[in-house]
Amino acid sequence: MVGVPKKKKFGVLDIAKYFIFAAFAIWAFTYIKDLTSKDALSKVFAKTPWWVYFGAFIGTLINWLLESAKWHKLINTIQISPLATSIKAVLSGTAVGNLLPYKIGEYLGKLYFVDTDKRALSIPLSFISSTIQLFVNLSLCIIPAIYVLGNAAVTTMNWQKFLIIGSLAILSISVAYQHPKLKKWMLDIRENFKLLTLKVLFQVSAIALLRFLFFLSAYAFVLHGMTELSWTQLYSGICAIYFMQSFAPGMLLTDGPVRILLPLVVFKAMGANETVLIAASIINYLASVIFPSLVGVILIALRKR
């Protein structure tokens, strides 16, 4: 079992990372701003049917209810906790998680709604929840992502450049796999999964699968209402987006730009309008990230009273 993480000093490397994140965010927002205008976005928002906004909200509601059900299954292996408390824990984790990279804040936010004497045990459970969701998502996304990104690469570069980039990617993955931190992470996963029965793992994995499918469908629903792309293009494109997005630090500073830029990269090549794609990404981001995060902040504030 993984114990409570030890506090580490905030060093020069950590400061440099945040400067890089900030520089990327500034560049991304500047780049996006140059692609469209407020007036153009306003017209797209005004022309968007009401049912697109409604679908984005319902999709978000189901998405986070399923994530709460997943956490509910896991946390009830160490303490009795009602579903309502699990919902509060997940939304609080989302709020705090947007401030810190690599899921660090996710379990810190959840700790507000875990019994004090169970908090050390809950940390591996949060790790398991994220790992299962990541595994399910990437497993279902990898083939569509390879297809979409492969086609984009073939049309935008010659085979020599593609071969060089592919070789460097394979080399980087091979080197990373040999890194001691990654090996330790893999061992931690193996030890953490020993904490749960096969039945609980199966139930959590099934919920993770449902959550991914609802997330995928909700995002596709929004884009279908705003573009003329086919359902096949939408589903394969969103898989490619999520595959790339999974490797970005999940914090508010970079998450917004990444969620807006990646659809441009993927769907612009399929003929979609840039302004419409930016508007759709903003709707999806507000519904799936900002709204639940704001609810989480309110829940944390009420909990502290």
Side-chain angles (χ1 to χ4, degrees), residues 83-141:
L83 180 60
T85 302
S86 296
I87 293 173
K88 293 176 182 178
V90 166
L91 293 176
S92 298
T94 302
V96 181
N98 282 324
L99 301 177
L100 299 169
Y102 304 114
K103 303 294 181 180
I104 296 170
E106 185 176 293
Y107 66 74
L108 291 178
K110 288 176 179 175
L111 292 185
Y112 284 107
F113 298 91
V114 177
D115 295 343
T116 304
D117 60 333
K118 302 293 185 181
R119 287 181 176 178
L121 292 172
S122 71
I123 292 173
L125 295 180
S126 183
F127 183 77
I128 289 171
S129 178
S130 299
T131 303
I132 289 177
Q133 191 67 62
L134 181 65
F135 178 77
V136 169
N137 294 353
L138 294 185
S139 297
L140 295 174
C141 284

Side-chain angles (χ1 to χ4, degrees), residues 259-271:
R259 286 174 182 261
I260 295 174
L261 284 174
L262 291 182
L264 286 173
V265 173
V266 173
F267 291 121
K268 184 182 174 182
M270 298 180 185

Side-chain angles (χ1 to χ4, degrees), residues 272-305:
N273 179 271
E274 290 177 341
T275 302
V276 172
L277 288 174
I278 293 172
S281 298
I282 292 173
I283 292 171
N284 183 64
Y285 186 62
L286 290 174
S288 62
V289 178
I290 299 300
F291 176 71
S293 295
L294 290 175
V295 174
V297 170
I298 294 171
L299 291 171
I300 292 173
L302 292 174
R303 179 73 172 180
K304 283 187 173 183
R305 284 187 176 182

Side-chain angles (χ1 to χ4, degrees), residues 4 6 16 20 39 76-77 91 108 123 144 158-159 169 180-181 199 204 234 242 246 256 280 287 294-295:
V4 181
K6 296 179 180 178
I20 292 172
D39 291 338
N76 271 271
T77 60
L91 293 176
L108 291 178
I123 292 173
N158 56 42
W159 68 269
K181 285 187 178 180
K199 179 182 178 181
V204 171
L234 291 173
Y242 195 86
S246 297
L294 290 175
V295 174

Side-chain angles (χ1 to χ4, degrees), residues 183-246:
K183 287 186 175 181
K184 182 179 181 301
W185 182 67
M186 296 297 288
L187 290 173
D188 288 343
I189 291 177
R190 186 175 66 180
E191 291 301 315
N192 286 331
F193 274 70
K194 290 179 181 178
L195 299 172
L196 304 177
T197 64
L198 187 61
K199 179 182 178 181
V200 173
L201 285 174
F202 177 79
Q203 291 173 335
V204 171
S205 299
I207 296 172
L209 174 60
L210 283 174
R211 187 189 175 214
F212 171 76
L213 293 176
F214 269 105
F215 164 80
L216 192 69
S217 298
Y219 197 179
F221 180 82
V222 171
L223 285 168
H224 182 70
M226 300 178 70
T227 68
E228 296 182 356
L229 297 172
S230 68
W231 287 107
T232 302
Q233 288 176 311
L234 291 173
Y235 277 106
S236 59
I238 293 168
C239 282
I241 289 167
Y242 195 86
F243 184 82
M244 293 185 286
Q245 185 180 309
S246 297

